């Protein structure tokens, strides 16, 4: 059965959608079948994976509201082994429309039961809020990946998220895990970066990913071409860092680069 990750942080612009798009592409390239679920009305993950809004028939809105079965909403992307349930702006009204629906916290979980067997990994791209839609993701998932920028006050947001996770654990999803905190747009030259990493590691021991994603212009350009960075510029720092992160998720050692192998031989 596929492992379900929610990629969540109630702060906007921290790299959630970028992480979903690029992790999905890497896992797919490694032969894993991946389903992305975009549950942010902005639809950044949808466009980042090259899906044109006009072409969308059913979206995550229809799935949450019960207007379509999950299978009907899944579309293949042009990237190896990666499918997506896209999001449209209709999702912005979903929370209010769901007020009258029974069991509204468990909508996504129930729908996912019917397709979990079809994928190795399911990645849910959450909105920048701790609303009902994000709760659906936290209840439906096995584990949470938290992208985060190394800034002052980062810890404040993190403790809020951890409180929510605690509540979800006690009331709805006792086996919910925290996969880890992924630092994005990371600049190791800044003092604050090291300080924040240290603080988060103290607050959540063993839960800071080894990989840090640097600020990389290729990563910010790729979505406007509807491509994950490894398809847009496979030699970029962005592609390399998401490859390392993918290996960490797969719990594999990162591959040794050809040029490094070459150096090693020459040294001998
Ligand atoms: N490592 C990075 N380097 C440079 N730009 C990035 C990086 N990660 C994300 N971005 C850019 O920052 C913006 C916010 O990222 P995004 O993934 O959309 O965040 P979120 O989904 O958390 O709101 C986007 O324009 C994205 O292209
Ligand atoms: Mg986003």
């Amino acid at each position: 059965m596929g492992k379900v990750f929610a990629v969540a942080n109630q702060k906007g612009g921290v790299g959630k959608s970028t992480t979903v798009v690029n992790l999905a592409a890497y896992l797919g390239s490694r032969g894993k079948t991946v389903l992305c679920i975009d549950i942010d009305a902005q639809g950044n993950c949808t466009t980042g994976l090259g899906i044109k809004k006009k072409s969308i028939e059913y979206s995550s809105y229809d799935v949450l509201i019960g207007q379509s079965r999950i299978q009907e909403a899944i579309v293949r992307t042009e990237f190896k082994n990666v499918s997506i349930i896209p999001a449209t702006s209709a999702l912005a009204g979903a929370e209010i429309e769901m007020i009258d629906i029974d069991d509204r916290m468990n909508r996504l979980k129930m729908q996912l039961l019917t397709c979990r067997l079809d994928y190795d990994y399911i990645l849910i791209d959450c909105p920048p809020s701790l609303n009902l839609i994000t709760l659906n993701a936290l209840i439906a998932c096995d584990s949470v990946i938290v992208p985060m920028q190394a800034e002052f006050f980062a810890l404040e947001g993190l403790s809020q998220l951890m409180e929510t996770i605690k509540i979800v654990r006690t009331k709805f999803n006792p086996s919910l895990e925290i996969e880890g905190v992924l630092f994005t747009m990371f600049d190791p030259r800044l003092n604050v970066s090291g300080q924040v990493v240290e603080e988060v590691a103290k607050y959540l021991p063993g839960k800071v990913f080894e990989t840090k994603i640097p600020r990389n212009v290729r990563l910010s350009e790729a979505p406007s071409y509807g491509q994950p960075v490894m398809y847009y510029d496979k030699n970029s720092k962005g592609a390399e860092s998401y490859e390392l992160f993918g290996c960490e998720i797969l719990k594999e050692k990162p591959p040794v680069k050809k040029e490094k192998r070459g150096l090693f031989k020459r040294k001998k």
Side-chain angles (χ1 to χ4, degrees), residues 134-259:
T134 302
L135 277 181
N136 262 271
L138 295 176
I139 291 169
C141 76
D142 301 310
S143 193
V144 189
I145 295 171
V146 186
M148 176 183 260
Q149 276 183 269
E151 295 171 336
F152 283 116
F153 307 123
L155 214 62
E156 242 170 67
L158 184 63
S159 59
Q160 244 177 39
L161 178 61
M162 291 307 132
E163 280 305 312
T164 307
I165 287 176
K166 236 191 248 168
I167 294 169
V168 170
R169 264 192 201 130
T170 40
K171 292 200 168 168
F172 305 99
N173 184 3
S175 58
L176 177 60
E177 284 181 54
I178 294 155
E179 197 68 18
V181 173
L182 174 67
F183 282 99
T184 59
M185 298 174 240
F186 192 74
D187 186 347
R189 293 167 304 181
L190 302 177
N191 284 338
V192 63
S193 304
Q195 287 162 7
V196 174
V197 171
E198 229 171 78
E199 275 182 38
V200 172
K202 235 188 263 167
Y203 179 65
L204 293 174
K207 296 290 184 191
V208 176
F209 288 110
E210 195 76 27
T211 310
K212 311 282 182 288
I213 309 294
R215 194 174 281 283
N216 176 252
V217 69
R218 295 311 212 195
L219 273 170
S220 57
E221 288 167 358
S224 54
Y225 296 88
Q227 288 181 337
V229 73
M230 64 177 289
Y231 288 85
Y232 175 63
D233 182 353
K234 70 174 166 37
N235 295 317
S236 62
K237 277 273 170 233
E240 190 183 319
S241 58
Y242 272 104
E243 179 181 335
L244 290 175
F245 178 53
C247 290
E248 227 181 317
I249 289 293
L250 290 169
K251 299 188 169 55
E252 281 180 5
K253 276 197 186 148
V256 180
K257 290 266 175 252
K258 277 196 196 89
E259 57 272 31

Side-chain angles (χ1 to χ4, degrees), residues 7 9 11-20 38 40 42-45 125-128:
V7 178
N9 184 332
K11 198 159 182 246
V14 295
K16 292 181 289 296
S17 303
T18 304
T19 297
V20 169
D38 190 347
D40 182 4
Q42 301 215 342
N44 292 339
C45 173
D125 186 18
C126 292

